[in-house]
Amino acid sequence: MSFNWKKSIIVVFDIVIAAYLILAVTAFNKPAERASVCSEVKIDIDDEMPDGFLNANEIKKILEKQQLYPLAKPMMDVNARDIEETLRKNPFVQQAECYKAQNGHVCISLKQRMPIMHVMANNGDNYYVDIHGNILPETRFASDLLVTTGNITKKYAQKTLTPVVNEIVRDKFWQSQIVQIHVLDDGSLEVVPRVGNHIVYLGSPIDVPRKLERLRKFYLYGLNQAGWNKYSYISVEFDNQIICKKK
């Protein structure tokens, strides 16, 4: 039997090509990553505001606690998925994404849950609520949020107070003017303003936008002329009327 050199050469050539492709996939596709270390960590927090609880330093502390902060680590040892999963466990994180760039940078993008009120209820509950009605735990961070007090259950905070507070924080005037909502035993609402030494009674938590608009007009055309400290109690509970109690 004669040896088929041509066929053997083809087989060897195929083997060489296959080996090259394997090496290309396993070694040549990330040469920079194998040779480099993380030189910079970029942390981007979407909608980062003073009312939020997350900042770059806090994210760094969370990752350092789990020994996942990537700075100065070999890029091959940086696990982007572990970083994402760790950050997503934080109650103030809504979304987390992490990826490694070829220049030795590790990029972390976050979207945080934005609290809109601080609940300090008569029953001792102390927590935050975000714009979707999610309960967020008490935190050591100070934040200038609308405070809600009184007879508040978690269900009431989520289902009833959240729509009311959303109406307030969407309006720049009311966001700066109203500093506290107090829930009475019957579920009706009192409002404590920033300017003016008076309490505003909203009544039941329905038709709040109309009540606030009526109060806005009274502020504009009434208190601006009569004086902001003339009354101790203002009620906008009923349509087409405003009841005021003088000091």
Side-chain angles (χ1 to χ4, degrees), residues 100-116:
K100 298 182 286 186
Q102 292 184 353
N103 58 0
H105 293 178
V106 174
C107 302
I108 301 172
S109 298
L110 297 173
K111 185 173 183 179
Q112 64 178 321
R113 300 185 187 278
M114 296 305 302
I116 56 171

Side-chain angles (χ1 to χ4, degrees), residues 219-235:
Y219 278 174
L220 181 62
Y221 301 109
L223 293 189
N224 271 345
Q225 298 179 8
W228 284 81
N229 296 319
K230 183 176 182 179
Y231 303 107
S232 61
Y233 204 78
I234 300 172
S235 173

Side-chain angles (χ1 to χ4, degrees), residues 120-241:
M120 294 186 289
N122 288 346
N123 61 9
D125 285 346
N126 192 336
Y127 53 88
Y128 298 89
V129 181
D130 73 4
I131 60 175
H132 303 295
N134 296 307
I135 300 293
L136 306 177
E138 182 186 6
T139 175
R140 68 181 182 274
F141 297 109
S143 188
D144 187 20
L145 291 178
L146 192 151
V147 176
T148 55
T149 58
N151 186 25
I152 306 173
T153 63
K154 289 185 177 180
K155 182 178 179 180
Y156 185 92
Q158 291 177 293
K159 303 298 183 181
T160 304
L161 276 182
T162 297
V164 172
V165 177
N166 274 327
E167 288 290 343
I168 292 172
V169 299
R170 275 196 289 260
D171 188 298
K172 290 184 178 180
F173 174 77
W174 293 122
Q175 185 181 28
S176 61
Q177 171 68 355
I178 297 176
V179 296
Q180 180 180 347
I181 295 178
H182 184 71
V183 181
L184 302 177
D185 289 342
D186 62 356
S188 60
L189 306 179
E190 289 180 337
V191 168
V192 180
R194 188 182 302 275
V195 179
N197 191 16
H198 58 266
I199 301 296
V200 177
Y201 182 65
L202 295 180
S204 60
I206 58 174
D207 294 330
V208 172
R210 290 202 304 174
K211 293 175 181 178
L212 290 178
E213 183 58 29
R214 192 157 64 250
L215 180 62
R216 188 199 304 268
K217 291 180 180 178
F218 179 69
Y219 278 174
L220 181 62
Y221 301 109
L223 293 189
N224 271 345
Q225 298 179 8
W228 284 81
N229 296 319
K230 183 176 182 179
Y231 303 107
S232 61
Y233 204 78
I234 300 172
S235 173
V236 292
E237 178 183 13
F238 303 110
D239 288 341
N240 301 319
Q241 61 176 305

Side-chain angles (χ1 to χ4, degrees), residues 53-103:
F53 297 118
L54 296 177
N55 54 51
N57 287 333
E58 183 64 20
I59 298 305
K60 180 181 178 181
K61 291 178 182 178
I62 293 172
L63 296 177
E64 285 179 337
K65 187 176 181 180
Q66 300 298 323
Q67 297 182 341
L68 290 173
Y69 193 67
L71 188 63
K73 286 186 177 182
M75 292 295 282
M76 288 296 296
D77 294 339
V78 176
N79 192 318
R81 177 169 294 183
D82 284 351
I83 291 174
E84 291 177 348
E85 291 178 354
T86 296
L87 294 176
R88 286 169 185 166
K89 292 177 182 178
N90 187 287
F92 294 100
V93 174
Q94 182 174 337
Q95 296 177 0
E97 294 183 356
C98 177
Y99 67 90
K100 298 182 286 186
Q102 292 184 353
N103 58 0

